[in-house]
Amino acid sequence: MSDANPRLQNDVLAKDVGVVEDAQKQIKGHLKDFNDCELRRITGLAWSEFRDERPRARLTKQTLVDAVENFGGLIVLSEPAGAAIWVDDTKWTTPTNTKDFTHVGTIKIRLELAGYENVEGTVVVARRKFVTFNGKFKRAKTH
């Protein structure tokens, strides 16, 4: 959103808050297996993506519910734990063993941990559930 018109931005954000609150019951009905914290995270991701792509568009309850459907849960584990995670070439802020949300579809994952060979693979993230990627590290060869 443009900084040139902060009133427009505040008006849009104020309306969005109402839409987000209004949509929560329907979102919770669609995503029954997620807890309230997870629902807030998914809703926030869907809203943020909508606003990034359409800064001045009108957000409706149905648009938000549809956007939430584009996310699924991803649990990333590794042995040993503590590896850096890249999901579709975007670095996650937390290391393994963790969970977050990403777009549904086939997702590329790369794990990196000092002293070990990188682990790479793919998972299919589905709507309305978590999928697990479990990386098993091998010690890096030393010369």
Side-chain angles (χ1 to χ4, degrees), residues 62-80:
Q62 191 58 53
T63 301
L64 184 60
V65 170
D66 292 345
V68 164
E69 290 284 332
N70 290 321
F71 289 88
L74 176 59
I75 300 169
V76 183
L77 306 173
S78 72
E79 205 174 294

Side-chain angles (χ1 to χ4, degrees), residues 6-109:
R7 179 158 171 70
L8 173 65
Q9 182 177 14
N10 290 338
D11 290 349
V12 169
L13 293 175
K15 289 176 185 173
D16 283 1
V17 168
V19 171
V20 169
E21 290 172 354
D22 192 36
Q24 288 307 298
K25 186 175 180 181
Q26 190 172 348
I27 290 169
K28 192 170 193 167
H30 281 255
L31 304 174
K32 294 177 181 136
D33 292 336
F34 296 118
N35 65 40
D36 288 343
C37 183
E38 293 165 344
L39 291 172
R40 284 190 296 275
R41 173 74 175 141
I42 296 170
T43 302
L45 289 168
W47 172 82
S48 179
E49 184 172 90
F50 175 85
R51 275 290 153 235
D52 284 348
E53 293 173 1
R54 294 164 280 208
R56 289 192 176 84
R58 181 174 168 263
L59 178 66
T60 66
K61 182 167 84 170
Q62 191 58 53
T63 301
L64 184 60
V65 170
D66 292 345
V68 164
E69 290 284 332
N70 290 321
F71 289 88
L74 176 59
I75 300 169
V76 183
L77 306 173
S78 72
E79 205 174 294
I85 304 168
W86 276 262
V87 175
D88 282 339
D89 297 320
T90 298
K91 187 175 182 183
W92 278 17
T93 57
T94 55
T96 59
N97 297 335
T98 193
K99 67 180 178 178
D100 205 346
F101 299 90
T102 189
H103 287 100
V104 297
T106 302
I107 305 298
K108 294 184 306 180
I109 298 176

Side-chain angles (χ1 to χ4, degrees), residues 107-140:
I107 305 298
K108 294 184 306 180
I109 298 176
R110 184 176 79 246
L111 306 178
E112 294 182 3
L113 187 63
Y116 294 87
E117 295 177 11
N118 292 349
V119 174
E120 295 183 0
T122 60
V123 294
V124 177
V125 175
R127 292 179 172 94
R128 302 180 183 171
K129 60 178 150 180
F130 278 99
V131 63
T132 301
F133 179 85
N134 195 352
K136 306 265 188 212
F137 281 100
K138 295 179 185 175
R139 287 254 179 224

